[in-house]
Amino acid sequence: MITSCNNCNEIQGIVISELLNRQINDSYCDILNKAIELDKEAIIKISTIEVSDAAGYDHGYVLIRLIEKIGEQEYLKALENVSTEQKKSIESYLWAGLEYGGNKIYSNKKLNEVLPLLAESLKQ
């Protein structure tokens, strides 16, 4: 059963879309909040949560916004031990977040242009 995250439309300035809200539960919001506070386990959890269909684009947007808040270096530190499969999944979400997240500063930019260290790390 999927439980909606009813009181989670925004966490510290990061918008949680209605579409994404339909696929997640309340723990998503708690995990995101902890990730913003630099909890490494939370950063890994939020980055590796599986979201399907169009909500994946919204989840990618959330990850991009998280990285903006905590910085590329902190995000990289947290992900240093994730599996190759998890890295591929994270890379897909980030690509979607850049491409369809609605932030004009990333328009027509690739992951390696916006987050070069992270892009390199995810390829390894």
Side-chain angles (χ1 to χ4, degrees):
M1 180 171 117
I2 297 174
T3 307
S4 176
C5 193
N6 294 325
N7 296 318
C8 183
N9 297 324
E10 186 177 322
I11 298 289
Q12 295 190 36
I14 300 176
V15 175
I16 311 298
S17 72
E18 183 179 329
L19 181 61
L20 184 55
N21 255 314
R22 286 189 223 137
Q23 286 203 22
I24 59 175
N25 60 34
D26 288 332
S27 67
Y28 185 95
C29 305
D30 295 334
I31 295 166
L32 178 57
N33 206 34
K34 289 177 183 173
I36 293 168
E37 295 168 1
L38 302 178
D39 180 312
K40 285 185 180 186
E41 285 183 36
I43 293 169
I44 292 168
K45 281 183 187 177
I46 200 74
S47 298
T48 58
I49 287 175
E50 291 186 27
V51 181
S52 62
D53 302 323
Y57 295 103
D58 295 338
H59 179 60
Y61 161 81
V62 168
L63 295 181
I64 293 292
R65 294 286 290 129
L66 170 64
I67 296 166
E68 289 174 347
K69 284 199 169 291
I70 68 172
E72 186 177 12
Q73 293 287 2
E74 289 297 329
Y75 191 77
L76 272 170
K77 278 192 241 177
L79 296 183
E80 59 190 9
N81 293 319
V82 298
S83 71
T84 301
E85 179 135 341
Q86 288 172 316
K87 286 181 180 182
K88 287 179 184 178
S89 176
I90 294 166
E91 184 179 28
S92 294
Y93 287 130
L94 292 174
W95 174 84
L98 286 176
E99 188 74 21
Y100 299 102
N103 191 333
K104 292 183 193 309
I105 64 170
Y106 302 132
S107 181
N108 299 314
K109 292 194 177 176
K110 296 182 180 179
L111 185 60
N112 63 346
E113 295 172 306
V114 178
L115 301 164
L117 300 174
L118 181 58
E120 181 65 30
S121 174
L122 292 174
K123 292 286 184 203
Q124 298 176 0

